[in-house]
């Protein structure tokens, strides 16, 4: 098995930061944020994304990859930052008793992406039926799906300075449709609400005030439900604060690490 790993700040001191990207992206998208953090940073290409090989393209595959990454690099006292899909993987890893992580930051993610009885914070305009039909459409017309996915990432239709919507669309189109459909099915079927209630490390939940994917109030739920939780809302961001305001987002993460 191969883990394609992007690194920044190898000359910096302090505990490392592990950065897990969102669905359809890859580890290199963290560059603007990682360059603004004071600690050494590592970002793998998650299974089915980029150059990593052999791990299953599922949340479980991401958890296995994260465990191998931490063990192979002897990481301790790390800060785990998971954006969207990356947050699901991080929460699952911690709920399995995964070592090496001292604190976690989740970025614009819900622990239960699909609607459920009494659940107020699923993915916007989503249902189990819609999710299943979407997975089928991905394999039938991935270029159209890629455009729709890219258009929901940002607060502004054109994207942001770090990545335009057109660049995001090109990245997404380069992914294998069948692989993305498998990962989509895995992530939308995940429900980690109970895991949040027993999260063993401090959690900071970051959400974009203009997100078209998850309601910002999801962060309130996470902060109130985690044993040691807090949240921040980024005023001028959509689903991708890591790209839309990387400097400000890095500053909030660095403050959380110091605290």
């Amino acid at each position: 098995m191969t883990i394609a790993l992007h690194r920044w700040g190898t000359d910096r001191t302090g505990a490392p930061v592990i950065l897990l990207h969102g669905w359809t992206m890859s580890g290199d998208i963290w560059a603007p944020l990682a360059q603004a953090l004071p600690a050494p940073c590592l970002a793998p290409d998650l299974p089915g994304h980029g150059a990593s090989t052999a791990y299953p393209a599922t949340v479980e595959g991401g958890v296995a990859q994260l465990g191998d990454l931490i063990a192979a690099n002897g990481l301790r006292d790390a800060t785990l930052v998971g954006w969207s899909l990356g947050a699901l993987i991080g929460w699952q890893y911690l709920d399995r008793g995964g070592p090496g992580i001292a604190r976690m930051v989740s970025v614009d993610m819900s622990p239960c992406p699909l609607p459920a009885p009494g659940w107020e914070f699923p993915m916007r305009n989503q249902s189990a039926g819609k999710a299943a039909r979407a997975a089928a459409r991905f394999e039938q017309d991935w270029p159209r799906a890629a455009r729709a996915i890219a258009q929901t990432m940002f607060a502004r239709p054109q994207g942001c300075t770090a990545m335009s919507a057109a660049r995001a669309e090109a990245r997404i189109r380069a992914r294998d449709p069948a692989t993305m459909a498998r990962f989509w099915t895995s992530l939308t079927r995940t429900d980690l609400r109970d895991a949040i209630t027993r999260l063993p490390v401090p959690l900071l939940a970051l959400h974009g005030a203009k997100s078209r994917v998850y309601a910002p109030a999801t962060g309130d739920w996470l902060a109130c439900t985690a044993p040691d939780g807090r949240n921040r809302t980024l005023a001028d961001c959509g689903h991708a604060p890591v790209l839309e305001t990387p400097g400000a987002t890095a500053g909030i993460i660095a403050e959380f690490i110091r605290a």
Side-chain angles (χ1 to χ4, degrees), residues 4-240:
L5 192 59
H6 307 266
R7 296 178 182 266
W8 299 269
T10 54
D11 57 338
R12 301 170 191 162
T13 59
V17 179
I18 304 170
L19 304 162
L20 303 183
H21 63 78
W23 179 65
T24 73
M25 294 287 106
S26 52
D28 62 313
I29 62 99
W30 290 101
L33 184 143
Q35 290 163 0
L37 284 172
C41 298
L42 306 86
D45 291 343
L46 291 175
H49 299 71
S52 293
T53 62
Y55 292 92
T58 61
V59 173
E60 291 286 350
V63 171
Q65 184 197 59
L66 177 58
D68 289 349
L69 168 66
I70 290 171
N73 289 274
L75 302 182
R76 299 176 59 190
D77 193 37
T79 299
L80 179 61
V81 183
W83 169 36
S84 197
L85 166 63
L88 276 187
I89 291 170
W91 287 326
Q92 182 100 303
Y93 176 79
L94 289 167
D95 196 50
R96 299 284 174 80
I101 305 301
R103 62 200 67 80
M104 180 175 170
V105 180
S106 62
V107 184
D108 213 67
M109 190 56 186
S110 167
C112 183
L114 291 184
W119 180 234
E120 300 179 10
F121 307 109
M123 196 181 303
R124 293 183 188 272
N125 303 313
Q126 196 55 265
S127 69
K130 286 182 179 180
R133 291 191 294 273
R137 286 198 305 272
F138 295 157
E139 299 197 53
Q140 296 165 1
D141 190 352
W142 184 240
R144 179 179 292 183
R147 174 163 294 183
I149 294 163
Q151 288 174 344
T152 63
M153 281 179 61
F154 307 105
R156 295 175 176 79
Q158 68 271 27
C160 60
T161 301
M163 184 178 293
S164 67
R167 278 184 59 206
E169 180 182 344
R171 276 177 167 265
I172 297 167
R173 286 183 65 144
R175 302 284 173 244
D176 176 66
T179 302
M180 294 300 100
R182 284 196 299 275
F183 225 140
W184 168 261
T185 299
S186 175
L187 78 90
T188 53
R189 289 179 177 175
T190 299
D191 183 350
L192 295 175
R193 288 175 290 175
D194 285 347
I196 302 301
T197 67
R198 53 181 178 261
L199 201 66
V201 301
L203 174 70
L204 170 63
L206 299 181
H207 284 260
K210 298 179 180 179
S211 175
R212 288 183 276 176
V213 183
Y214 295 103
T218 308
D220 297 330
W221 185 91
L222 287 164
C224 292
T225 304
D228 185 359
R230 64 217 73 183
N231 69 300
R232 293 279 295 271
T233 301
L234 293 107
D236 202 31
C237 291
H239 181 56

